[in-house]
Amino acid sequence: MDQRVSLITLGVSDLKRSRAFYEALGWHTNAGPDDDVVFFQAGCMVVALWDRARLAEDSGVEDNGGWGGITLAYNTRSPAEVDSVIEEARAAGAAIPREPGETFWGGYSAMFVDPDGHPWEVAHNPRWEIGEDGGVTI
């Protein structure tokens, strides 16, 4: 197995609302308005939105409704870009549980939470390189 991730699927309670949220962040999809799964190209991988109950059933897990222990991350090329992304998320309706600031590990980051409770860290790590395609090199 290659060391990579191809797709992350987020289980959502209201597909139309979640799609509108990510589109308000500037993400684009080719999904039709009545499609039951929405795919977004995200650099060299894909982020999908799908009904939470159907995702749990398909994955063979019991959905207890709580946080799944996963945080997604969006790395930026500068601290100013962290600030900009957080403001985009705020304008799109995200909760901001941690405002942008310096980190204990020498970077700069903040958190936003999408309408279904999926947390995203937005971070600038001065030791990581972001390629033209958005890929991260550590």
Side-chain angles (χ1 to χ4, degrees):
M1 178 175 175
D2 293 341
Q3 186 170 313
R4 60 183 168 82
V5 175
S6 303
L7 172 85
I8 295 173
T9 303
L10 303 178
V12 300
S13 61
D14 182 332
L15 185 61
K16 289 186 187 309
R17 178 190 68 183
S18 293
R19 177 181 181 158
F21 173 80
Y22 284 94
E23 288 176 335
L25 290 179
W27 289 31
H28 303 282
T29 181
N30 291 325
D34 294 324
D35 287 357
D36 65 346
V37 180
V38 177
F39 295 101
F40 295 99
Q41 186 69 50
C44 60
M45 62 181 303
V46 174
V47 173
L49 307 176
W50 193 24
D51 178 78
R52 185 177 178 105
R54 292 181 68 190
L55 178 61
E57 180 182 352
D58 186 64
S59 300
V61 299
E62 185 175 328
D63 182 6
N64 64 11
W67 176 56
I70 296 173
T71 298
L72 303 168
Y74 179 87
N75 281 72
T76 67
R77 294 173 178 85
S78 70
E81 190 178 354
V82 171
D83 294 341
S84 176
V85 170
I86 289 298
E87 290 311 312
E88 285 181 70
R90 189 186 320 271
I96 312 296
R98 182 162 49 84
E99 294 290 337
E102 300 292 325
T103 66
F104 68 92
W105 45 266
Y108 186 83
S109 76
M111 297 290 297
F112 75 81
V113 179
D114 80 3
D116 284 280
H118 301 291
W120 284 79
E121 180 180 31
V122 181
H124 169 66
N125 185 329
R127 294 173 295 283
W128 289 12
E129 181 180 324
I130 310 290
E132 285 186 33
D133 67 352
V136 176
T137 303
I138 57 174

